Amino acid sequence: RIDLERDRSITASVTKLPCADSGERSENDGSKAAQAVVLCKVDHDPADDLALVSLPGEERALQVHGEDETGVLKLTMFGLDADILVMSRGEYELACHMNKPIPKDFGNFVLSPMPGTLISFAVEEGDVVEIGQELCVVEAMKMQNVIRSHKAGAKVGKLHGVIGGSLRADEILMEFEKEEM
């Protein structure tokens, strides 16, 4: 990681490297090739939202929107938004061997929106609920928050949690029965 507070300009080489299992091939075998972009110089002050980038033969301005909690930089150039993850070559080579995360479907679940205490359930297993109907109450920071249904005509399958028990954020409070197609 480069400390832009200390180093106002940096020299970097940015290359889109192929993973062994990604299906990308080198220029030698005539198919899909890795693309390389060399940044000669990057001038960026973290207090500004613009960075001046020197490419071979030209200079460009990038809008820097900041970095999220995963280390991804949000950039815009010529109206094109890009999410950039900066890694060393070693990090990239190791990342190629990581399994892609399997997205989880929480559409049939009601999750606690915050840490707190489960005060009560307003429904029972087997009840059919409508959109906006009160399902339960979670207390957080001495405020009671009513959790309402996001589904219409759904049947409550199982209630999770214990009344009076502590909850974590995104903990499952209840689940709906799966809809038959």
Side-chain angles (χ1 to χ4, degrees), residues 21-136:
D21 60 351
S22 70
E24 294 184 21
R25 294 179 174 75
S26 68
E27 294 178 39
N28 300 339
D29 64 8
S31 58
K32 207 172 184 183
Q35 300 172 0
V37 176
V38 177
L39 302 178
C40 301
K41 185 177 178 184
V42 177
D43 288 323
H44 175 65
D45 182 349
D48 294 334
D49 61 348
L50 289 177
L52 187 61
V53 179
S54 298
L55 301 165
E58 62 185 312
E59 288 194 352
R60 302 271 175 106
L62 296 173
Q63 186 174 2
V64 181
H65 300 286
E67 184 176 352
D68 68 11
E69 65 279 352
T70 62
V72 174
L73 290 170
K74 307 277 185 189
L75 305 175
T76 301
M77 184 171 77
F78 295 128
L80 176 69
D81 293 328
D83 294 339
I84 307 294
L85 179 60
V86 179
M87 295 184 213
S88 69
R89 182 179 277 280
E91 288 172 322
Y92 181 81
E93 289 170 358
L94 290 173
C96 286
H97 299 290
M98 299 294 293
N99 292 330
K100 298 221 183 304
I102 299 169
K104 296 181 181 177
D105 179 16
F106 288 105
N108 286 325
F109 294 91
V110 176
L111 306 176
S112 176
M114 66 202 80
T117 304
L118 181 60
I119 300 300
S120 65
F121 282 111
V123 294
E124 295 180 4
E125 291 179 10
D127 288 354
V128 177
V129 298
E130 295 302 321
I131 289 180
Q133 180 178 340
E134 181 179 331
L135 300 174
C136 62

